Amino acid sequence: MSVLFTNNAASTLASPITNSATSLTVASGQGALFPTITGNDYFMCTLQNVAGTTTEIVKVTARATDVFTIVRGQDNTTAANWSLGDKVELRLVAASLNDIPKLDEANTFSGTQTFTGSSSTPAVRTNNILEVSTVSATAATGTINFDITTQSI
């Protein structure tokens, strides 16, 4: 399951929706501005009224042309009623950022993960100390361990 993004995806509602609707329709032809969803992928959209006073974040789990299947009231927002012409925009939301692995925390990954290439930082000399940092990965059953080593010479 991956969160999808695209640049500058914005539209308006082609018809009103109630606070219990599980789909929405954007203006004709504008669904193509938003990501194509396959499998368990999804993207987040922000709904906002024309006045800019009410917002709701929805999780879009399927898109068929201009019709989005949605999960309502995401990322600490509440499902609301929306009118024809209200905004539908793919914005970067906190929930998406919180799904990104963090370097200073233990992270658990599920599914198949593919890593390619290697990383090595060139030697840096600071105050007569030569520092060499390398990153290596070793695979064990179901787990990839990353070892980051810094050596001062």
Side-chain angles (χ1 to χ4, degrees), residues 56-143:
E56 177 188 353
I57 297 170
V58 298
K59 181 178 185 177
V60 180
T61 58
R63 181 179 68 80
T65 314
D66 298 328
V67 179
F68 299 177
T69 301
I70 57 175
V71 180
R72 305 297 299 272
Q74 300 294 293
D75 207 8
N76 298 312
T77 63
T78 302
N81 296 319
W82 298 99
S83 302
L84 167 72
D86 282 342
K87 298 176 187 179
V88 179
E89 298 177 340
L90 193 157
R91 299 178 183 176
L92 185 60
V93 298
S96 297
L97 291 173
N98 288 330
D99 285 344
I100 297 172
K102 296 171 183 71
L103 293 176
D104 62 344
E105 294 180 8
N107 295 288
T108 302
F109 301 91
S110 61
T112 301
Q113 308 297 321
T114 303
F115 300 93
T116 58
S118 60
S119 175
S120 180
T121 303
V124 177
R125 184 178 176 157
T126 306
N127 297 329
N128 290 326
I129 297 174
L130 181 64
E131 295 183 359
V132 180
S133 297
T134 60
V135 177
S136 64
T138 56
T141 306
T143 303

Side-chain angles (χ1 to χ4, degrees), residues 6-19:
T6 190
N7 291 323
N8 306 316
S11 186
T12 56
L13 284 175
S15 59
I17 61 170
T18 66
N19 63 353

